[in-house]
Amino acid sequence: MNVFRILGDLSHLLAMILLLGKIWRSKCCSGISGKSQILFALVFTTRYLDLFTNFISIYNTVMKVVFLLSAYVTVYMIYGKFRKTFDSENDTFRLEFLLVPVIGLSFLENYSFTPLEVLWTFSIYLESVAILPQLFMISKTGEAETITTHYLFFLGLYRALYLANWIRRYQTENFYDQIAVVSGVVQTIFYCDFFYLYVTKVLKGKKLSLPMPI
């Protein structure tokens, strides 16, 4: 554990709280990609299968449970409680375009060809692209609510802080996880344009808007 890991976890947690709070207060999930949330729920499910078999620390266990519960509550609110407000017409990203290559890569590139290891690897690869349906939805509608942009910012910040965590671990422990680092870099790259727009527009009180696709 180091400060970057803790800050990354807190940023991730804050992102999920912001999203859940936005949906609950407004009783509306418009502008939120249900498909991205399904992918995140799948990420946590396949990553934390060792929850009851591999105890690391109370902190680790609590965070796993919180992320799992938050992911499934979010999916329930989008497709259950507030489904009438879900913008399905704009949440049209084809998930098979992500799932098929991620599944294939998980079998080809992993540290150990065992069920838990392959599923953990799958979760790492999938997390790196799980935000794409949300970004696609924003590009399709041309804009995003301010609270949604805050959610995306802290989600991207979490990945950037985790990269700093890997660098720190390499310096202090000589530990390097190639799969996690490469996937984290890919995921952070997806957020780069959004980070720029967030700083230049949202932080100045302007609504984030994007050019509509032709």
Side-chain angles (χ1 to χ4, degrees), residues 187-203:
Q187 187 175 358
T188 304
I189 289 173
F190 287 140
Y191 284 97
C192 286
D193 285 345
F194 172 80
F195 282 149
Y196 173 76
L197 292 173
Y198 184 86
V199 171
T200 57
K201 291 189 175 183
V202 179
L203 293 184

Side-chain angles (χ1 to χ4, degrees), residues 53-210:
T53 61
N54 185 23
F55 178 79
I56 298 175
S57 67
I58 294 177
Y59 171 86
N60 183 270
T61 299
V62 169
M63 294 302 281
K64 286 180 178 179
V65 172
V66 169
F67 288 146
L68 277 167
L69 288 177
S70 298
Y72 279 99
V73 169
T74 302
V75 171
Y76 164 71
M77 288 200 292
I78 293 174
Y79 291 102
K81 191 173 182 64
F82 303 122
R83 62 183 179 278
K84 292 183 180 179
T85 66
F86 173 50
D87 188 8
S88 59
E89 293 184 358
N90 288 312
D91 193 17
T92 57
F93 194 95
R94 300 280 295 276
L95 293 187
E96 60 268 31
F97 291 164
L98 300 179
L99 289 172
V100 172
V102 165
I103 291 172
L105 189 59
S106 301
F107 279 96
L108 294 173
E109 291 291 336
N110 54 68
Y111 293 128
S112 175
F113 199 72
T114 61
L116 283 180
E117 186 64 32
V118 171
L119 288 171
W120 178 86
T121 304
F122 167 82
S123 77
I124 297 297
Y125 292 148
L126 183 61
E127 187 181 19
S128 69
V129 296
I131 198 61
L132 289 182
Q134 180 67 64
L135 298 178
F136 178 78
M137 188 178 189
I138 292 176
S139 69
K140 191 173 182 180
T141 59
E143 61 183 20
E145 294 181 26
T146 300
I147 192 65
T148 303
T149 62
H150 293 332
Y151 158 72
L152 290 172
F153 172 78
F154 283 105
L155 201 60
L157 181 61
Y158 140 67
R159 291 315 308 174
L161 287 167
Y162 255 58
L163 287 180
N165 162 60
W166 292 124
I167 293 173
R168 182 60 178 168
R169 290 193 65 183
Y170 181 75
Q171 293 175 337
T172 59
E173 306 171 32
N174 199 30
F175 177 84
Y176 175 71
D177 187 329
Q178 181 175 333
I179 290 176
V181 171
V182 172
S183 298
V185 169
V186 170
Q187 187 175 358
T188 304
I189 289 173
F190 287 140
Y191 284 97
C192 286
D193 285 345
F194 172 80
F195 282 149
Y196 173 76
L197 292 173
Y198 184 86
V199 171
T200 57
K201 291 189 175 183
V202 179
L203 293 184
K204 294 182 179 180
K206 302 176 182 178
K207 190 171 184 178
L208 188 145
S209 59
L210 299 170

